[in-house]
Amino acid sequence: MPILSRPALVEHLVRTRIAGDVATPRDNNLSHYRKLANGDRHYWLGLELGDRWTDEQDVLAVMAERCGVIDDPAHRAGQDTIDPELTVDGLDRMAARLRKAASGKERVLFATGHPGALIDVHSRVAAALRAQGCDVVRIPGGLVADEGYVVQFADVAVFERGASLWHTHSPEPMNAILDALGEDGRPDLVIADHGWAGRAGQRGIDSVGYADCNDPALFIGEAEGTMQVTIPLDDHVLDPRFYEPMTAYTLAAAGLA
C-alpha cells in the first residue's frame, strides 16, 4: 500500500469519518464524561481515577485538548468531532514507541475490545514487530473473565462468549492475561484499546491505546502519565479497511514498513 503523506492521511481520516465529523453523537459523549465524573467504573476503562475527575467540565476540557471534541459546554446535542491532526500526532507518538520496541526487541502484547474493527490494525503491527525480532506475546490457554473466555486470533487477545467475539470495555480480560503470565512473562509494551489498554497502564506497563471521543478515560490516563500514548479516532467505522492507510503510515513512521 502506498504510504500517504500527513496531509493526505488527514484527508483520508476525514473522508472515512475516522476523524473529523464522526458518527458518535455529542449527547453520547457528554453522557460518558458525566458518568466517568460520577465514579462509574465502567467508564474508567481499567484506570484508577480516584476523586481527581469529579467535574464533567474538567473531563470535557481534557477531551477538547487531546481529542478535539467541541469545547463549548453549551453544545449538548448533534454533531461532535475528533481533530484529525491530533489523530496523526498520536500515531506519530505511537510510531516513536514502536521504534523503541523494535530496537530493544521488546516483548509486546496486543489486545482489542473492538474485534469487529481493530483486530487487523493490531495484527499488522504485531507482524511488523515480530519481523524486527520482537517477542509477540502468546497468551496462555484456558483464560476466563466476565463469564467468557480470553482467546487469541492473529496475535491479538480478544474476548469470546457463546462462540462469538465480543465488544467489551472491561479490564478483567487484561487482568486474566497479566495474572496468568506472571512477572516472568510480563510484557514490556501493550498495544490495545478500552479496558485492555487502561488496565495494562494501571498495572505499570507501557500502554498505547486507541480511543473514541466517548471514551475519555484513556485520554485522562495519558494526561496523568499512566498511559504512554492515546490515539483519538472513531473505533468502529463502516469498513475496517478504512484503517489500513493509517496503519501503513504508522509503520512507515516507525521504520517498520
Side-chain angles (χ1 to χ4, degrees), residues 12 73 108 140 144:
H12 170 79
V108 188
V144 295

Side-chain angles (χ1 to χ4, degrees), residues 28 37 50 59 61 67 78 83 90 107 127 139 141 153 167 170 173 182 210 216 225 243-244 252:
N28 182 262
V59 179
C67 183
D83 185 340
R107 182 167 166 79
I139 71 170
F153 291 100
H167 170 218
S170 173
Y210 300 102
Y243 297 111
E244 290 177 357

Side-chain angles (χ1 to χ4, degrees), residues 47 78 84 145 147 158 160 209 215 217 219 235 241 249:
L47 296 167
E147 300 181 345
V158 292
E160 179 194 27
D215 291 329
F219 296 97
D235 56 15
R241 290 174 293 186
Y249 172 93

Side-chain angles (χ1 to χ4, degrees), residues 22-56:
V22 293
T24 311
R26 176 68 167 193
D27 58 330
N28 182 262
N29 285 346
L30 295 181
S31 172
H32 287 202
Y33 304 169
R34 181 170 57 256
K35 290 173 180 175
L36 179 147
N38 288 341
D40 187 333
R41 286 177 173 268
H42 175 78
Y43 297 92
W44 288 13
L45 300 182
L47 296 167
E48 294 297 331
L49 302 180
D51 58 0
R52 300 185 298 278
W53 297 91
T54 57
D55 187 337
E56 66 181 281

Side-chain angles (χ1 to χ4, degrees), residues 4-14 88 91 245-246 249:
L4 299 182
S5 66
R6 182 185 178 111
L9 179 60
V10 166
E11 190 278 330
H12 170 79
L13 296 173
V14 172
V88 182
L91 296 174
M246 176 192 83
Y249 172 93

Side-chain angles (χ1 to χ4, degrees), residues 53 57-69 216 219-221 223:
W53 297 91
Q57 300 306 320
D58 291 340
V59 179
L60 174 60
V62 168
M63 293 303 292
E65 176 187 10
R66 292 180 174 268
C67 183
V69 303
F219 296 97
I220 289 172

